[in-house]
PDB file of all heavy atoms in Angstrom:
ATOM      1  N   PRO F 252      13.527   1.807  -4.404  1.00  0.00           N
ATOM      2  CA  PRO F 252      13.047   3.061  -4.945  1.00  0.00           C
ATOM      3  C   PRO F 252      14.062   4.241  -4.412  1.00  0.00           C
ATOM      4  O   PRO F 252      14.355   4.304  -3.275  1.00  0.00           O
ATOM      5  CB  PRO F 252      11.750   3.305  -4.266  1.00  0.00           C
ATOM      6  CG  PRO F 252      11.242   1.931  -3.897  1.00  0.00           C
ATOM      7  CD  PRO F 252      12.518   1.134  -3.550  1.00  0.00           C
ATOM      8  N   GLU F 253      14.405   5.026  -5.400  1.00  0.00           N
ATOM      9  CA  GLU F 253      15.413   6.109  -5.120  1.00  0.00           C
ATOM     10  C   GLU F 253      14.846   7.052  -4.028  1.00  0.00           C
ATOM     11  O   GLU F 253      15.541   7.584  -3.191  1.00  0.00           O
ATOM     12  CB  GLU F 253      15.792   6.938  -6.378  1.00  0.00           C
ATOM     13  CG  GLU F 253      16.843   7.896  -6.133  1.00  0.00           C
ATOM     14  CD  GLU F 253      17.064   8.756  -7.430  1.00  0.00           C
ATOM     15  OE1 GLU F 253      16.191   8.939  -8.175  1.00  0.00           O
ATOM     16  OE2 GLU F 253      18.244   9.301  -7.602  1.00  0.00           O
ATOM     17  N   ILE F 254      13.574   7.318  -4.118  1.00  0.00           N
ATOM     18  CA  ILE F 254      12.932   8.357  -3.247  1.00  0.00           C
ATOM     19  C   ILE F 254      13.019   7.966  -1.736  1.00  0.00           C
ATOM     20  O   ILE F 254      12.941   8.758  -0.882  1.00  0.00           O
ATOM     21  CB  ILE F 254      11.437   8.560  -3.635  1.00  0.00           C
ATOM     22  CG1 ILE F 254      10.930   9.798  -3.119  1.00  0.00           C
ATOM     23  CG2 ILE F 254      10.623   7.356  -3.262  1.00  0.00           C
ATOM     24  CD1 ILE F 254       9.588  10.197  -3.718  1.00  0.00           C
ATOM     25  N   LEU F 255      13.228   6.627  -1.482  1.00  0.00           N
ATOM     26  CA  LEU F 255      13.323   6.172  -0.091  1.00  0.00           C
ATOM     27  C   LEU F 255      14.649   6.137   0.506  1.00  0.00           C
ATOM     28  O   LEU F 255      14.904   6.008   1.628  1.00  0.00           O
ATOM     29  CB  LEU F 255      12.714   4.737  -0.027  1.00  0.00           C
ATOM     30  CG  LEU F 255      11.354   4.542  -0.611  1.00  0.00           C
ATOM     31  CD1 LEU F 255      10.869   3.055  -0.387  1.00  0.00           C
ATOM     32  CD2 LEU F 255      10.265   5.494  -0.029  1.00  0.00           C
ATOM     33  N   ILE F 256      15.700   6.296  -0.353  1.00  0.00           N
ATOM     34  CA  ILE F 256      17.155   6.005   0.108  1.00  0.00           C
ATOM     35  C   ILE F 256      17.501   6.878   1.246  1.00  0.00           C
ATOM     36  O   ILE F 256      17.927   6.468   2.334  1.00  0.00           O
ATOM     37  CB  ILE F 256      18.084   6.124  -1.010  1.00  0.00           C
ATOM     38  CG1 ILE F 256      17.827   4.975  -2.070  1.00  0.00           C
ATOM     39  CG2 ILE F 256      19.564   6.099  -0.537  1.00  0.00           C
ATOM     40  CD1 ILE F 256      18.751   5.085  -3.299  1.00  0.00           C
ATOM     41  N   LYS F 257      17.385   8.229   1.151  1.00  0.00           N
ATOM     42  CA  LYS F 257      17.963   9.050   2.135  1.00  0.00           C
ATOM     43  C   LYS F 257      17.169   8.930   3.509  1.00  0.00           C
ATOM     44  O   LYS F 257      17.782   9.146   4.559  1.00  0.00           O
ATOM     45  CB  LYS F 257      17.875  10.515   1.667  1.00  0.00           C
ATOM     46  CG  LYS F 257      19.026  10.908   0.831  1.00  0.00           C
ATOM     47  CD  LYS F 257      19.101  12.468   0.642  1.00  0.00           C
ATOM     48  CE  LYS F 257      20.372  12.872  -0.143  1.00  0.00           C
ATOM     49  NZ  LYS F 257      20.511  14.305  -0.261  1.00  0.00           N
ATOM     50  N   SER F 258      15.906   8.697   3.392  1.00  0.00           N
ATOM     51  CA  SER F 258      15.067   8.571   4.571  1.00  0.00           C
ATOM     52  C   SER F 258      15.492   7.384   5.440  1.00  0.00           C
ATOM     53  O   SER F 258      15.089   7.354   6.650  1.00  0.00           O
ATOM     54  CB  SER F 258      13.565   8.439   4.232  1.00  0.00           C
ATOM     55  OG  SER F 258      13.280   7.259   3.503  1.00  0.00           O
ATOM     56  N   PHE F 259      16.171   6.462   4.903  1.00  0.00           N
ATOM     57  CA  PHE F 259      16.549   5.254   5.692  1.00  0.00           C
ATOM     58  C   PHE F 259      17.979   5.256   6.166  1.00  0.00           C
ATOM     59  O   PHE F 259      18.570   4.245   6.692  1.00  0.00           O
ATOM     60  CB  PHE F 259      16.304   3.996   4.917  1.00  0.00           C
ATOM     61  CG  PHE F 259      14.841   3.426   5.050  1.00  0.00           C
ATOM     62  CD1 PHE F 259      13.929   4.035   4.234  1.00  0.00           C
ATOM     63  CD2 PHE F 259      14.471   2.479   5.912  1.00  0.00           C
ATOM     64  CE1 PHE F 259      12.585   3.635   4.320  1.00  0.00           C
ATOM     65  CE2 PHE F 259      13.233   1.999   6.000  1.00  0.00           C
ATOM     66  CZ  PHE F 259      12.261   2.654   5.210  1.00  0.00           C
ATOM     67  N   GLN F 260      18.661   6.448   5.960  1.00  0.00           N
ATOM     68  CA  GLN F 260      20.072   6.477   6.256  1.00  0.00           C
ATOM     69  C   GLN F 260      20.428   7.824   6.954  1.00  0.00           C
ATOM     70  O   GLN F 260      19.843   8.814   6.639  1.00  0.00           O
ATOM     71  CB  GLN F 260      20.859   6.286   5.003  1.00  0.00           C
ATOM     72  CG  GLN F 260      20.639   5.045   4.240  1.00  0.00           C
ATOM     73  CD  GLN F 260      21.253   5.097   2.898  1.00  0.00           C
ATOM     74  OE1 GLN F 260      22.475   5.460   2.766  1.00  0.00           O
ATOM     75  NE2 GLN F 260      20.576   4.650   1.851  1.00  0.00           N
ATOM     76  N   THR F 261      21.518   7.698   7.712  1.00  0.00           N
ATOM     77  CA  THR F 261      22.136   9.019   8.146  1.00  0.00           C
ATOM     78  C   THR F 261      22.880   9.649   7.009  1.00  0.00           C
ATOM     79  O   THR F 261      23.149   8.896   5.971  1.00  0.00           O
ATOM     80  CB  THR F 261      22.954   8.754   9.356  1.00  0.00           C
ATOM     81  OG1 THR F 261      24.116   7.911   8.885  1.00  0.00           O
ATOM     82  CG2 THR F 261      22.317   8.058  10.519  1.00  0.00           C
ATOM     83  N   GLU F 262      23.299  10.878   7.156  1.00  0.00           N
ATOM     84  CA  GLU F 262      24.109  11.503   6.069  1.00  0.00           C
ATOM     85  C   GLU F 262      25.395  10.722   5.854  1.00  0.00           C
ATOM     86  O   GLU F 262      25.886  10.596   4.731  1.00  0.00           O
ATOM     87  CB  GLU F 262      24.458  12.952   6.437  1.00  0.00           C
ATOM     88  CG  GLU F 262      23.246  13.845   6.232  1.00  0.00           C
ATOM     89  CD  GLU F 262      22.858  13.869   4.738  1.00  0.00           C
ATOM     90  OE1 GLU F 262      23.657  13.837   3.897  1.00  0.00           O
ATOM     91  OE2 GLU F 262      21.597  14.028   4.553  1.00  0.00           O
ATOM     92  N   GLN F 263      26.054  10.225   6.991  1.00  0.00           N
ATOM     93  CA  GLN F 263      27.225   9.435   6.880  1.00  0.00           C
ATOM     94  C   GLN F 263      27.040   8.137   6.145  1.00  0.00           C
ATOM     95  O   GLN F 263      27.846   7.797   5.178  1.00  0.00           O
ATOM     96  CB  GLN F 263      27.767   9.149   8.260  1.00  0.00           C
ATOM     97  CG  GLN F 263      29.059   8.299   8.237  1.00  0.00           C
ATOM     98  CD  GLN F 263      30.229   8.954   7.527  1.00  0.00           C
ATOM     99  OE1 GLN F 263      30.363  10.214   7.575  1.00  0.00           O
ATOM    100  NE2 GLN F 263      31.063   8.145   6.909  1.00  0.00           N
ATOM    101  N   GLN F 264      25.951   7.467   6.473  1.00  0.00           N
ATOM    102  CA  GLN F 264      25.636   6.203   5.699  1.00  0.00           C
ATOM    103  C   GLN F 264      25.366   6.451   4.205  1.00  0.00           C
ATOM    104  O   GLN F 264      25.831   5.704   3.368  1.00  0.00           O
ATOM    105  CB  GLN F 264      24.441   5.546   6.382  1.00  0.00           C
ATOM    106  CG  GLN F 264      24.689   4.915   7.681  1.00  0.00           C
ATOM    107  CD  GLN F 264      23.396   4.413   8.363  1.00  0.00           C
ATOM    108  OE1 GLN F 264      22.324   4.963   8.214  1.00  0.00           O
ATOM    109  NE2 GLN F 264      23.544   3.353   9.144  1.00  0.00           N
ATOM    110  N   TYR F 265      24.655   7.577   3.992  1.00  0.00           N
ATOM    111  CA  TYR F 265      24.344   7.925   2.571  1.00  0.00           C
ATOM    112  C   TYR F 265      25.595   8.125   1.803  1.00  0.00           C
ATOM    113  O   TYR F 265      25.756   7.699   0.582  1.00  0.00           O
ATOM    114  CB  TYR F 265      23.499   9.176   2.531  1.00  0.00           C
ATOM    115  CG  TYR F 265      23.089   9.499   1.177  1.00  0.00           C
ATOM    116  CD1 TYR F 265      22.052   8.785   0.425  1.00  0.00           C
ATOM    117  CD2 TYR F 265      23.637  10.678   0.443  1.00  0.00           C
ATOM    118  CE1 TYR F 265      21.756   9.167  -0.867  1.00  0.00           C
ATOM    119  CE2 TYR F 265      23.262  11.049  -0.761  1.00  0.00           C
ATOM    120  CZ  TYR F 265      22.306  10.259  -1.452  1.00  0.00           C
ATOM    121  OH  TYR F 265      21.912  10.645  -2.717  1.00  0.00           O
ATOM    122  N   ARG F 266      26.629   8.794   2.358  1.00  0.00           N
ATOM    123  CA  ARG F 266      27.938   9.000   1.656  1.00  0.00           C
ATOM    124  C   ARG F 266      28.710   7.744   1.412  1.00  0.00           C
ATOM    125  O   ARG F 266      29.526   7.665   0.471  1.00  0.00           O
ATOM    126  CB  ARG F 266      28.739  10.009   2.485  1.00  0.00           C
ATOM    127  CG  ARG F 266      28.232  11.448   2.424  1.00  0.00           C
ATOM    128  CD  ARG F 266      29.315  12.464   2.990  1.00  0.00           C
ATOM    129  NE  ARG F 266      29.485  12.249   4.361  1.00  0.00           N
ATOM    130  CZ  ARG F 266      28.865  12.880   5.331  1.00  0.00           C
ATOM    131  NH1 ARG F 266      27.894  13.794   4.953  1.00  0.00           N
ATOM    132  NH2 ARG F 266      29.100  12.734   6.580  1.00  0.00           N
ATOM    133  N   GLU F 267      28.387   6.690   2.256  1.00  0.00           N
ATOM    134  CA  GLU F 267      29.080   5.427   2.035  1.00  0.00           C
ATOM    135  C   GLU F 267      28.449   4.503   0.985  1.00  0.00           C
ATOM    136  O   GLU F 267      28.965   3.496   0.725  1.00  0.00           O
ATOM    137  CB  GLU F 267      29.087   4.688   3.395  1.00  0.00           C
ATOM    138  CG  GLU F 267      29.976   5.408   4.413  1.00  0.00           C
ATOM    139  CD  GLU F 267      29.793   4.767   5.783  1.00  0.00           C
ATOM    140  OE1 GLU F 267      29.008   3.794   5.923  1.00  0.00           O
ATOM    141  OE2 GLU F 267      30.589   5.171   6.707  1.00  0.00           O
ATOM    142  N   MET F 268      27.252   5.010   0.424  1.00  0.00           N
ATOM    143  CA  MET F 268      26.591   4.170  -0.521  1.00  0.00           C
ATOM    144  C   MET F 268      26.823   4.578  -1.932  1.00  0.00           C
ATOM    145  O   MET F 268      27.063   5.796  -2.275  1.00  0.00           O
ATOM    146  CB  MET F 268      25.113   4.259  -0.282  1.00  0.00           C
ATOM    147  CG  MET F 268      24.679   3.866   1.136  1.00  0.00           C
ATOM    148  SD  MET F 268      25.298   2.344   1.792  1.00  0.00           S
ATOM    149  CE  MET F 268      24.430   1.139   0.616  1.00  0.00           C
ATOM    150  N   MET F 269      26.699   3.644  -2.863  1.00  0.00           N
ATOM    151  CA  MET F 269      26.849   3.980  -4.318  1.00  0.00           C
ATOM    152  C   MET F 269      25.463   3.643  -4.936  1.00  0.00           C
ATOM    153  O   MET F 269      24.883   2.574  -4.557  1.00  0.00           O
ATOM    154  CB  MET F 269      27.935   3.058  -4.935  1.00  0.00           C
ATOM    155  CG  MET F 269      29.318   3.221  -4.382  1.00  0.00           C
ATOM    156  SD  MET F 269      30.529   2.104  -5.046  1.00  0.00           S
ATOM    157  CE  MET F 269      30.706   2.724  -6.695  1.00  0.00           C
ATOM    158  N   VAL F 270      25.019   4.513  -5.753  1.00  0.00           N
ATOM    159  CA  VAL F 270      23.682   4.435  -6.393  1.00  0.00           C
ATOM    160  C   VAL F 270      23.778   4.475  -7.923  1.00  0.00           C
ATOM    161  O   VAL F 270      24.460   5.410  -8.396  1.00  0.00           O
ATOM    162  CB  VAL F 270      22.756   5.488  -5.841  1.00  0.00           C
ATOM    163  CG1 VAL F 270      21.379   5.454  -6.555  1.00  0.00           C
ATOM    164  CG2 VAL F 270      22.534   5.431  -4.323  1.00  0.00           C
ATOM    165  N   PHE F 271      23.238   3.529  -8.595  1.00  0.00           N
ATOM    166  CA  PHE F 271      23.313   3.340 -10.080  1.00  0.00           C
ATOM    167  C   PHE F 271      21.892   3.373 -10.641  1.00  0.00           C
ATOM    168  O   PHE F 271      21.053   2.636 -10.231  1.00  0.00           O
ATOM    169  CB  PHE F 271      24.048   2.124 -10.433  1.00  0.00           C
ATOM    170  CG  PHE F 271      25.496   2.117  -9.875  1.00  0.00           C
ATOM    171  CD1 PHE F 271      25.714   1.320  -8.755  1.00  0.00           C
ATOM    172  CD2 PHE F 271      26.521   2.673 -10.531  1.00  0.00           C
ATOM    173  CE1 PHE F 271      27.071   1.192  -8.207  1.00  0.00           C
ATOM    174  CE2 PHE F 271      27.751   2.595 -10.072  1.00  0.00           C
ATOM    175  CZ  PHE F 271      28.073   1.848  -8.979  1.00  0.00           C
TER     176      PHE F 271
END
Side-chain angles (χ1 to χ4, degrees):
E253 184 185 29
I254 199 169
L255 307 183
I256 291 176
K257 279 194 174 182
S258 65
F259 274 81
Q260 303 169 45
T261 65
E262 284 298 322
Q263 177 61 34
Q264 289 173 328
Y265 182 73
R266 287 194 292 270
E267 293 173 355
M268 306 307 295
M269 301 175 72
V270 176
F271 301 96

